Amino acid sequence: MKRVELYQKVRRAVMIEGMSRRGAARYFGVNRKTVDKMLTFPEPPQHGRSGRSYSRKLAEFTEIIDRILVEDRTVHFKQRHTAFRIFERLRDEHGYAGGITIVRDYVASAKLHSREVFIPLSHKPGHAQVDFGEADGIIGGKLLRFHYFCMDLPHSDAPFVKAYPAEVAEAFCEGHVAAFAFFGGIPQSILYDNTKLAVAQILGDGKRERSRMFSTLQSHYLFEDKFGRPGKGNDKGKVEGLVGYVRRHFMVPMPVAESFDAMNARFLEQCVERRQAVLRGNEQSIATRMEADLAAFMALPATAFDPCHMVTGRASSMSLVRYRTNDYSVPTAYAHQEVVIKGYVERVEVICGGERIAVHPRSYEREDFIPNPLHYLALLERKPRALDQAAPLDGWVLAEPMHRIRRLMEARSGKEGRREFIQVLRLCEKFEQTLVEWAVARALEMGAISFDAVKMIALARLEQRPPRLDLELYPHLPRAHVGRTNPRSYLGLLSGTTASAPGAAA
């Protein structure tokens, strides 16, 4: 403010009162050239000095500073030079004798001029952008770092979000399938960064070699893929903004859910609610603008893409197949056989001879062991002595009646009693475990300590009949009718003829 007042006084003294420029400089204590500038401009310049001026002491070192700043672009941002570190290097390595202030000013000016400038873009309807984000949440009572798939429609800003345990190819493809179903159509093109989930390799001419799974997905839905420049997230700024918006609004406070399905159901509700928003620079809501996107979309195919990673393998002698460092069990009847392993986001399926022989929840640990106790019961029936040391049964939680009937069976029949208990366990291959445990408890109440009794009680429960061990309730079983035998009937055996007598067995 004082400089403006000084300008006003100098200009009035010279231009109105007739004071000479030299006299004004002497009277107001300013430089003669400053007086000339004051007479040219009615107020001080708003932005200080123009151009990149710097002290002569720094002139011979500017090329060194520029080179350091260029090299910094190729290293981790937390390991780049500060102005003070540049000053130290100039002083220690190159004999710089000036102060740090002019170095700091030059570095700030150089960084400002090197910052990229962008052009505002317009987005036509019917296109999309995709990216992943990550956040923390409490899922199933555990604190987890999860990843979330985002698809944004840049024309309308309509969002889709779905969370996954890991950022893997199966989640990448499944996210597309879920997004297409959510929007009810397929975008004409989708813009990505150069994620390895889609790009196996960037060739020398800038062309991309797609990953096999992504190529299959694209062939199924026939959308055009586009890729941004490496390291330039602003090329897909819409979805980058969506990733940040979702983290700040959908995931603050930290999401708490019983499962990923429950959390994703909440995210879908929030995506639908988001459609009512009218964003800055628009007069219509997202839902209204999305109509143009949907009109430009391609129709969904008759069948959805199967988003799985498929590999071949062989079941080991311990009835295990390995997928992504983890071992999953198969029924012992399929040991040593060739199998096909299909890895989905939430499960692993094992196929043999076109038949699905095993399904497990997928583990994202390393070198994990995921058995199904039922797969080993047939072998344990032949090798009952291994029952207590069978690792696949270690984590199997059984109700107390199951342990009690085992003790009674083994006390009565020893080794055969253990085998009979394994037969009771094998009922879980056909019935729900809770039904088998209920049937065991009823058998104990009735004093019927046998596999046959447990099985018949379970069947009676399914058929909604009283669980009584009475053959009259089983009319489908053949009845045996035994009559009185006449001794003379045996004479036919001696004579070689058949003699019939009244009262012979029918």
Side-chain angles (χ1 to χ4, degrees):
M1 188 67 180
K2 291 182 178 179
R3 292 194 65 196
V4 176
E5 293 176 354
L6 181 60
Y7 262 60
Q8 185 265 338
K9 291 179 180 180
V10 172
R11 286 169 58 83
R12 181 173 180 82
V14 175
M15 300 176 69
I16 302 299
E17 298 175 359
M19 185 180 292
S20 69
R21 299 189 180 193
R22 188 182 303 276
R26 185 168 53 254
Y27 181 81
F28 291 102
V30 296
N31 188 276
R32 172 73 172 74
K33 293 182 179 180
T34 303
V35 172
D36 293 340
K37 186 186 300 183
M38 290 177 172
L39 297 177
T40 304
F41 302 102
E43 60 180 345
Q46 297 294 322
H47 303 289
R49 293 177 296 178
S50 62
R52 297 179 61 187
S53 59
Y54 42 84
S55 170
R56 295 177 181 177
K57 294 182 180 180
L58 193 64
E60 59 182 295
F61 301 97
T62 56
E63 291 185 4
I64 300 174
I65 297 176
D66 292 339
R67 184 173 67 250
I68 292 175
L69 295 177
V70 170
E71 293 173 351
D72 270 357
R73 298 174 188 173
T74 63
V75 302
H76 193 282
F77 74 96
K78 291 186 177 182
Q79 292 178 272
R80 294 175 182 174
H81 288 75
T82 62
F84 183 75
R85 181 59 184 142
I86 292 176
F87 164 73
E88 289 182 322
R89 291 192 60 187
L90 293 178
R91 181 193 63 194
D92 300 339
E93 300 175 17
H94 303 283
Y96 171 66
I100 187 175
T101 302
I102 55 176
V103 175
R104 184 179 286 115
D105 290 344
Y106 182 85
V107 170
S109 176
K111 288 183 177 180
L112 178 64
H113 285 82
S114 66
R115 294 181 64 179
E116 189 172 2
V117 181
F118 305 102
I119 299 175
L121 302 178
S122 63
H123 300 279
K124 296 181 180 179
H127 302 272
Q129 297 179 4
V130 161
D131 199 6
F132 264 100
E134 64 178 19
D136 292 337
I138 300 177
I139 317 297
K142 297 181 179 180
L143 177 62
L144 299 177
R145 172 68 53 87
F146 64 87
H147 300 258
Y148 55 98
F149 173 95
C150 291
M151 179 177 286
D152 180 88
L153 309 184
H155 173 75
S156 62
D157 296 296
F160 171 81
V161 179
K162 188 169 184 180
Y164 296 97
E167 186 178 342
V168 292
E170 302 85 77
F172 183 68
C173 292
E174 205 277 337
H176 284 76
V177 176
F180 296 159
F182 177 71
F183 289 124
I186 307 168
Q188 297 178 26
S189 72
I190 303 178
L191 177 63
Y192 306 90
D193 58 17
N194 293 276
T195 171
K196 292 183 178 179
L197 303 177
V199 180
Q201 184 180 6
I202 300 179
L203 305 178
D205 56 359
K207 294 183 179 179
R208 273 82 171 171
E209 180 183 338
R210 278 69 169 171
S211 66
R212 179 177 180 83
M213 193 170 180
F214 177 72
S215 295
T216 307
L217 173 78
Q218 188 180 13
S219 177
H220 188 91
Y221 289 108
L222 299 177
F223 58 86
E224 180 185 359
D225 59 359
K226 297 181 179 179
F227 297 94
R229 295 168 295 169
K232 298 293 184 180
N234 54 280
D235 286 353
K236 51 182 180 56
K238 285 286 189 176
V239 73
E240 292 277 357
L242 175 61
V243 169
Y245 176 87
V246 167
R247 186 184 294 110
R248 294 188 299 271
H249 293 80
F250 291 14
M251 302 171 188
V252 176
M254 184 184 299
V256 179
E258 296 180 358
S259 64
F260 275 96
D261 289 340
M263 185 167 63
N264 284 325
R266 189 190 314 160
F267 288 164
L268 286 184
E269 292 176 358
Q270 292 172 302
C271 287
V272 173
E273 293 173 359
R274 174 69 172 162
R275 295 179 182 177
Q276 306 308 314
V278 178
L279 304 186
R280 182 174 181 267
N282 294 281
E283 298 179 354
Q284 297 176 321
S285 67
I286 292 176
T288 302
R289 290 185 289 120
M290 192 174 70
E291 294 176 2
D293 275 320
L294 300 183
F297 273 15
M298 299 181 291
L300 290 168
T303 58
F305 178 73
D306 190 24
C308 70
H309 175 228
M310 188 181 303
V311 295
T312 59
R314 176 184 291 272
S316 70
S317 60
M318 291 187 289
S319 296
L320 297 173
V321 297
R322 183 161 295 176
Y323 178 73
R324 298 277 177 87
T325 77
N326 297 321
D327 290 329
Y328 299 84
S329 68
V330 297
T332 54
Y334 297 94
H336 305 290
Q337 296 191 36
E338 297 286 342
V339 296
V340 174
I341 308 167
K342 300 174 71 175
Y344 293 86
V345 172
E346 77 290 346
R347 70 185 188 278
V348 172
E349 296 183 0
V350 185
I351 313 296
C352 184
E355 177 187 1
R356 188 172 64 179
I357 61 174
V359 180
H360 293 275
R362 179 168 175 175
S363 171
Y364 287 92
E365 304 294 332
R366 290 189 60 82
E367 300 181 5
D368 201 0
F369 174 48
I370 305 94
N372 183 341
L374 303 181
H375 291 165
Y376 294 88
L377 295 180
L379 182 60
L380 281 172
E381 189 176 356
R382 301 199 305 270
K383 300 179 178 182
R385 295 181 63 182
L387 178 62
D388 292 325
Q389 293 180 296
L393 275 62
D394 284 347
W396 195 9
V397 180
L398 299 172
E400 193 278 332
M402 301 290 284
H403 301 287
R404 185 147 53 98
I405 199 171
R406 176 187 176 180
R407 290 193 298 268
L408 294 173
M409 287 179 170
E410 291 185 357
R412 181 184 63 190
S413 305
K415 180 180 177 180
E416 291 303 317
R418 181 179 297 181
R419 181 176 282 111
E420 187 174 12
F421 172 69
I422 296 173
Q423 292 175 340
V424 173
L425 292 177
R426 292 197 66 185
L427 290 175
C428 295
E429 297 173 349
K430 303 296 183 182
F431 305 121
E432 292 289 338
Q433 180 176 328
T434 54
L435 174 60
V436 175
E437 292 173 341
W438 179 87
V440 168
R442 293 288 291 140
L444 290 171
E445 292 175 3
M446 301 170 65
I449 314 301
S450 71
F451 161 74
D452 292 327
V454 174
K455 181 178 180 180
M456 295 175 74
I457 292 171
L459 285 171
R461 177 67 178 270
L462 288 177
E463 297 171 3
Q464 298 182 347
R465 295 181 287 99
R468 298 177 182 175
L469 302 182
D470 189 342
L471 288 179
E472 291 182 1
L473 298 177
Y474 294 86
H476 56 281
L477 296 177
R479 294 181 178 272
H481 299 280
V482 181
R484 180 175 296 178
T485 302
N486 191 329
R488 287 183 296 176
S489 299
Y490 292 100
L491 295 176
L493 299 175
L494 300 175
S495 62
T497 60
T498 303
S500 301

